[in-house]
Amino acid sequence: MTLSPSDSQPSPRENYENRRMATIAARWDRKAEQWDRDLQDPSCHLNEDQAYRRFLDQLAAVIEPRRQFCRAHGVIDAGCATGLVLAEIVASFAWGIGIDISPQMIRMAQAKHLPAASFLLGDCFELSAICPKAGAVLSRGVLLSHYGHRHGEALLHRARSALVPGGFIVWDFLNQSGRANFQHTPENKTYFDPAQVRGMAIAAGFRTAKTLGEPERRVCLLLAECS
Ligand SMILES: C[S@@+](CC[C@H](N)C(=O)[O-])C[C@H]1O[C@@H](n2cnc3c(N)ncnc32)[C@H](O)[C@@H]1O
């Protein structure tokens, strides 16, 4: 039997399951140039169910009652890509650091020269070794669903280790019960039940874990706080 190139190449899911960082980074490098334009395009699948706008709105609602705490501490954006999320929220914090494994994404983010923000090439699984401790660690773009059951809890554990006492995370994920409602339903990513994600956060050492977003949503958010 002859193998076609696609037969012999590991699938994106396998790349995440086996944490093949160079391959994952190369894939995101190829998307960097177009990333901001895609997110600005309402018809792009990234905006299905207004996932990007809803993340920012829900994040603003989380920050509001924690204004003073946020102003006194930094924020880390895990898997920051071109820095769009940090650009929106860094002013609510003392400083911001974006971490991404894609050199092209980091280059584009750095070129924006955002005040009080810096962007570092690095792996979120090594977050606490790369960054000073922060008041919040954010991640938008369903990183949990990319890394799936096998690595999700470890990712959350690393995020918790990067927090000051009383810190919190807001991370989005693909929502199992909303799956049938949308056109774009990638087979290579993990859809979670919100209760599973809350369980992962508690297992990763968070004191509280809540999920935000209605059951029919394509993407929901995890809000977890540490002691
Ligand atoms: C869906 S994009 C999200 C981009 C960004 N958060 C936004 O909202 O525009 C996922 C990003 O995570 C990055 N990424 C994937 N695995 C990573 C890891 N282990 N450490 C750091 N970044 C990672 C990718 O390079 C990519 O830029």
Side-chain angles (χ1 to χ4, degrees):
M1 189 178 80
T2 329
L3 287 180
S4 73
S6 62
D7 288 331
S8 56
Q9 301 235 331
S11 68
R13 184 186 277 275
E14 284 173 310
N15 288 330
Y16 281 94
E17 276 181 356
N18 295 302
R19 288 177 53 191
R20 294 195 183 100
M21 292 309 175
T23 310
I24 296 170
R27 178 172 170 267
W28 287 105
D29 272 351
R30 290 193 289 277
K31 293 177 186 250
E33 187 72 37
Q34 184 63 25
W35 188 251
D36 285 9
R37 276 192 294 275
D38 282 348
L39 270 181
Q40 277 156 10
D41 174 1
S43 65
C44 176
H45 75 272
L46 297 169
N47 283 314
E48 212 175 3
D49 199 27
Q50 297 187 310
Y52 178 65
R53 189 67 251 164
R54 281 195 307 104
F55 181 90
L56 293 177
D57 290 347
Q58 287 178 304
L59 178 58
V62 169
I63 291 173
E64 174 59 22
R66 299 170 174 81
R67 274 195 317 269
Q68 278 189 319
F69 176 83
C70 291
R71 248 184 244 129
H73 298 285
V75 58
I76 297 170
D77 186 3
C80 63
T82 59
L84 288 171
V85 170
L86 265 194
E88 293 268 349
I89 54 94
V90 69
S92 301
F93 292 86
W95 49 262
I97 297 179
I99 300 290
D100 204 286
I101 41 155
S102 153
Q104 292 298 347
M105 290 286 195
I106 288 294
R107 225 165 276 145
M108 297 202 55
Q110 286 170 338
K112 294 178 179 173
H113 300 291
L114 293 180
S118 50
F119 294 93
L120 305 175
L121 189 62
D123 181 353
C124 293
F125 288 90
E126 289 160 19
L127 216 49
S128 56
I130 305 171
C131 303
K133 287 196 187 288
V137 179
L138 314 174
S139 187
R140 195 216 71 87
V142 302
L143 211 56
L144 282 177
S145 290
H146 282 93
Y147 284 96
H149 294 283
R150 185 152 169 198
H151 301 299
E153 187 185 315
L155 263 180
L156 294 177
H157 187 273
R158 302 308 193 282
R160 190 186 61 79
S161 311
L163 288 170
V164 298
F168 66 93
I169 64 166
V170 177
W171 284 46
D172 63 358
F173 62 91
L174 289 167
N175 174 34
Q176 178 61 44
S177 63
R179 186 172 192 163
N181 304 338
F182 298 98
Q183 270 182 355
H184 182 68
T185 52
E187 292 299 322
N188 58 350
K189 299 194 184 76
T190 303
Y191 281 73
F192 288 104
D193 185 286
Q196 279 178 318
V197 174
R198 294 194 295 272
M200 277 159 51
I202 296 299
F206 284 92
R207 182 175 56 84
T208 68
K210 266 171 72 167
T211 39
L212 313 175
E214 299 80 8
E216 67 275 14
R217 291 298 185 186
R218 180 169 185 266
V219 170
C220 287
L221 271 60
L222 166 69
L223 164 63
E225 294 172 291
C226 69
S227 308

